[in-house]
Amino acid sequence: MRRTNNIILETAIKVLLFFIVLYSVYIFTAGHYYPGGGFIGGLMTAGAIVLLLITYDIKTVEEFLPVNYRILTAIGLLFAIGTSAGSLLFDVPFLTHAFGDVQLPILGELSLHTATLFDLGVYFVVVGVTMTIIQTIGEDE
Amino acid sequence: MTNLIILPILIPLFTGVILIFLNNRIMAQRVVASISSIGTIIAAWLIVQKVRTDGIQSLNISSWDAPFGITLVSDMLSALLVLTTSIIAFVCLIYSFKSIGEEREKYYYYAVFYFLLVGVNGAFTTGDIFNLFVFFEVMLMSSYVLLVLGGTKIQLRESIKYLLVNVISSALFIIAVAYLYSVVGTLNMAHISARINEISVNGMPGILTVIAVLFLIVFGLKGAIFPLYFWMPGSYYAPPAPVLALFGALLTKVGVYSITRTYTLFFYHDMDTFGILSILAILSIVFGVIGAIAYWDIKNIIIYNIIVAVGVILYGISVLNTASITGAVYYLMHDMLIKAALFLLVGVVISITGTSNLRNISGLINRFPGLGWTFFIAALALAGIPPLSGFVGKLLIVQGGFEGESFLGAFITLMSSLLVLFSVMKIFINGFWGKDRTYVGEEKAPVKQLLIAPVILVVTSALYGIGSEFILPYITQAADTLIDPNIYINAVIKE
């Protein structure tokens, strides 16, 4: 197998990856008050993984990220359906969300909203779908 | 229970996701799929009963009041169509068990099957024009996958055409919704209707007529009416029988439903657009019939019969009086059932003979009498012979046509029955009578198991025809809403 010496790229990725993932998580969590949300956050995380795929090969990336992206998509869908169908249990219209201030031990008082869980579902689906597309095309002979 | 009307969307969606996890365990997939399919039928039946006793049901998703959030609305028409869809889906599912093959089952066949149902049931139930678009896309994306799954040469070629046509029509749909939104400033269908009513006191403004025609083009492309049906014969020729039955029974009918809904709810102020609809419907009947009698290929004959049926239903809508609308609703449900049955029967014939060319088939009735007689009854029902289901609908449409003094259309509708009967009897006479032949798949094809599905549909269709006295109150209730949009508006926007 042809192996070029990508030392600069590999070193740069070690720093960059951290920032990209952090920024995508920031954008995901800021979605309620600022531009951002599950879709763009998921795309950016997928972008980070694509950067890994460019630096290393598919097998190496699979080794340190052993994720089945189709299952990840399905899990994301389950999150989205679950949080919306939770309203069925309380006999309120579908997709009605609940929110409130919660007192947590370390983090203090937090304002939490079940729409975030829905957004987490979106996030997983976007990561799963993007990576499935890129991996299946990449593995194709 | 407040969330009853979302169950026919939610159950298939949830099932589809569960089936992704089970993609290698075929038996588990089949069990889960069957159970949830029966669950959907029960939920749809409960909705029909609920709408029958309590009137139109609406659900404001996410607890936002009517014009501001997405509203799901189940009037009798949607409820009946959802019930019919669920029955057809169940039947196609049990047909798939025996015919679709392990290769496809392992590649998410059932999951995509359920996502298709989500789209169809959602499109029938939604009360929001943009949400209708989204459900159209859910339905179309699943249909792309079902069409191409298996990857034979003909499927790949026809998928490209199908995809291209539908991407263009979806873009047009968005443009039409954007125009409408810029004129009326709302997306909730009941609210749109109320707003159009306000600005149409002195006749409908020209821009709304343009939008009406744009919607006709969009839904006409989906529903295969006269100049826009060109993609259908090729695309529907490609997929295997159960997928074809789903497409033939459901997809075009969603287009027909959307035309019915938008025209009776939004654009009823302008009879000129109904004139265009009427002409296109009559031409669809004529061209569909020409196609149906021209071909010697059993798949093509039935495919062209879809175009005829779409024409008949839309003609009934375009006349817009009580009899014709009642007839159109009746005929719509009949046609969904009987088209699914015919495509499944054609699938059985092809699995026996290995060909769909009618010239290479004869004498099937000697060895497969059950298949022969089921096909015979289905053919009579399609043409509209009295005790069966096609009769009442067509009778009412023709009656409505004469009452509305649209004599040419009514006459063509009547004559089309004759030629439709000729086209299916051609299959029966040439394929089932005549001298015996031996066929490649004769020994291997599990004919008895495959026949269960179409027999269920034909029996349902026969009961639908014989019990029309029992069913008519439901149909009348559906037609009432279509004729008087205020019933719909008042049910959705509660003052």
Side-chain angles (χ1 to χ4, degrees):
Chain A
M1 197 179 145
R2 195 172 61 88
R3 188 92 184 104
T4 45
N5 223 349
N6 283 333
I7 192 78
I8 295 174
L9 190 59
E10 281 175 22
T11 318
I13 244 3
K14 276 172 195 152
V15 184
L16 278 178
L17 192 69
F18 176 71
F19 281 111
I20 297 172
V21 172
L22 202 65
Y23 192 59
S24 76
V25 171
Y26 164 71
I27 276 211
F28 166 70
T29 47
H32 193 70
Y33 294 107
Y34 302 101
F39 184 77
I40 183 75
L43 266 187
M44 209 175 256
T45 308
I49 304 173
V50 169
L51 212 56
L52 276 179
L53 282 175
I54 291 173
T55 320
Y56 303 97
D57 54 315
I58 288 182
K59 274 210 183 101
T60 324
V61 175
E62 239 167 41
E63 259 169 38
F64 55 75
L65 271 179
V67 181
N68 181 341
Y69 290 105
R70 288 176 209 178
I71 298 294
L72 188 69
T73 314
I75 291 172
L77 283 170
L78 272 188
F79 260 95
I81 299 170
T83 43
S84 8
S87 54
L88 261 66
L89 297 176
F90 303 100
D91 203 33
V92 288
F94 186 76
L95 256 174
T96 305
H97 287 288
F99 58 94
D101 295 324
V102 185
Q103 199 70 39
L104 288 179
I106 303 167
L107 299 164
E109 192 177 307
L110 276 178
S111 164
L112 294 180
H113 201 299
T114 49
T116 315
L117 289 174
F118 187 92
D119 227 20
L120 191 65
V122 176
Y123 179 88
F124 282 153
V125 171
V126 171
V127 173
V129 168
T130 319
M131 292 317 297
T132 309
I133 293 171
I134 288 168
Q135 268 191 345
T136 36
I137 294 174
E139 280 167 355
D140 211 27
E141 294 288 310
Chain B
M1 185 174 158
T2 41
N3 285 303
L4 182 64
I5 68 171
I6 204 170
L7 286 183
I9 306 170
L10 192 59
I11 295 174
L13 180 60
F14 191 64
T15 316
V17 176
I18 295 293
L19 290 175
I20 296 177
F21 290 104
L22 300 172
N23 74 315
N24 280 320
R25 298 175 22 212
I26 293 171
M27 269 328 282
Q29 283 199 54
R30 290 178 180 177
V31 171
V32 171
S34 322
I35 292 170
S36 93
S37 195
I38 292 168
T40 318
I41 293 179
I42 294 169
W45 173 252
L46 289 177
I47 293 169
V48 170
Q49 292 307 326
K50 180 90 176 157
V51 175
R52 178 82 189 116
T53 49
D54 299 351
I56 297 176
Q57 297 295 305
S58 75
L59 170 68
N60 293 325
I61 294 280
S62 189
S63 308
W64 294 101
D65 282 341
F68 306 113
I70 292 172
T71 311
L72 295 184
V73 186
S74 234
D75 65 343
M76 191 45 100
L77 178 62
S78 338
L80 286 175
L81 288 175
V82 167
L83 179 63
T84 320
T85 305
S86 311
I87 293 170
I88 289 168
F90 174 67
V91 168
C92 289
L93 190 73
I94 56 175
Y95 188 93
S96 303
F97 292 162
K98 283 290 159 199
S99 78
I100 203 71
E102 205 172 286
E103 269 308 297
R104 286 191 171 96
E105 282 176 312
K106 272 191 179 166
Y107 279 91
Y108 305 102
Y109 172 78
Y110 295 118
V112 180
F113 185 101
Y114 271 92
F115 289 132
L116 184 83
L117 275 190
V118 174
V120 175
N121 282 345
F124 285 146
T125 314
T126 186
D128 183 285
I129 194 84
F130 193 78
N131 201 227
L132 178 69
F133 168 78
V134 174
F135 277 122
F136 256 101
E137 286 306 297
V138 171
M139 175 184 94
L140 288 172
M141 298 237 176
S142 322
S143 72
Y144 304 149
V145 179
L146 283 180
L147 186 59
V148 82
L149 196 67
T152 58
K153 197 176 172 189
I154 177 169
Q155 282 180 304
L156 293 173
R157 191 183 64 216
E158 297 303 334
S159 300
I160 288 184
K161 294 181 196 166
Y162 182 71
L163 226 152
L164 205 61
V165 167
N166 279 303
V167 166
I168 290 169
S169 79
S170 295
L172 278 177
F173 193 172
I174 279 291
I175 292 167
V177 170
Y179 269 132
L180 188 61
Y181 186 68
S182 69
V183 175
V184 297
T186 177
L187 291 170
N188 182 299
M189 290 196 202
H191 202 210
I192 291 174
S193 174
R195 288 256 169 105
I196 289 180
N197 199 19
E198 278 169 29
I199 55 178
S200 300
V201 273
N202 303 317
M204 207 157 82
I207 182 75
L208 281 173
T209 310
V210 173
I211 295 169
V213 173
L214 204 51
F215 270 117
L216 184 61
I217 293 171
V218 168
F219 295 135
L221 263 168
K222 316 267 188 199
I225 62 174
F226 157 61
L228 306 168
Y229 68 78
F230 55 88
W231 54 272
M232 199 175 80
S235 299
Y236 279 22
Y237 196 84
V243 176
L244 176 57
L246 269 186
F247 283 16
L250 303 180
L251 296 196
T252 52
K253 304 305 182 293
V254 179
V256 172
Y257 165 81
S258 306
I259 292 179
T260 309
R261 182 61 83 206
T262 48
Y263 270 62
T264 55
L265 193 59
F266 300 168
F267 306 121
Y268 57 92
H269 297 280
D270 182 9
M271 285 322 281
D272 290 347
T273 41
F274 278 87
I276 299 172
L277 182 62
S278 172
I279 293 166
L280 291 184
I282 291 168
L283 285 173
S284 307
I285 299 175
V286 172
F287 278 78
V289 159
I290 291 173
I293 53 181
Y295 277 95
W296 276 85
D297 186 298
I298 45 180
K299 263 194 202 173
N300 270 332
I301 293 173
I302 311 292
I303 288 169
Y304 275 97
N305 271 311
I306 300 178
I307 301 169
V308 182
V310 166
V312 170
I313 297 162
L314 287 179
Y315 172 70
I317 299 297
S318 73
V319 175
L320 203 65
N321 58 32
T322 315
S324 74
I325 296 267
T326 315
V329 174
Y330 198 98
Y331 198 80
L332 178 58
M333 284 169 60
H334 142 78
D335 191 64
M336 287 168 82
L337 289 172
I338 209 69
K339 283 285 147 53
L342 279 170
F343 279 122
L344 293 179
L345 287 167
V346 163
V348 179
V349 171
I350 291 173
S351 73
I352 294 168
T353 60
T355 173
S356 61
N357 189 340
L358 201 47
R359 292 184 213 273
N360 297 333
I361 306 170
S362 68
L364 277 174
I365 204 155
N366 297 320
R367 259 167 296 165
F368 305 101
L371 175 65
W373 294 116
T374 316
F375 188 88
F376 183 69
I377 296 170
L380 291 188
L382 180 73
I385 306 293
L388 297 164
S389 60
F391 174 67
V392 185
K394 218 170 231 176
L395 179 73
L396 285 169
I397 290 175
V398 170
Q399 185 197 333
F402 281 124
E403 278 171 11
E405 300 192 343
S406 154
F407 298 111
L408 181 69
F411 181 71
I412 287 176
T413 309
L414 270 181
M415 289 311 293
S416 76
S417 292
L418 205 60
L419 295 172
V420 163
L421 184 64
F422 171 71
S423 72
V424 274
M425 278 303 137
K426 188 165 88 179
I427 301 178
F428 186 72
I429 290 170
N430 290 293
F432 288 88
W433 290 355
K435 66 171 192 300
D436 256 355
R437 296 193 193 190
T438 49
Y439 301 104
V440 277
E442 205 173 325
E443 305 295 325
K444 277 184 290 172
V447 178
K448 286 224 168 65
Q449 287 102 313
L450 287 180
L451 259 183
I452 298 170
V455 164
I456 294 174
L457 281 178
V458 170
V459 168
T460 317
S461 150
L463 291 177
Y464 182 57
I466 294 164
S468 49
E469 194 71 16
F470 168 72
I471 290 160
L472 209 58
Y474 293 86
I475 308 278
T476 317
Q477 195 184 350
D480 286 343
T481 319
L482 293 180
I483 289 163
D484 183 8
N486 286 322
I487 304 175
Y488 187 96
I489 298 170
N490 292 337
V492 178
I493 303 174
K494 299 175 184 85
E495 295 302 329

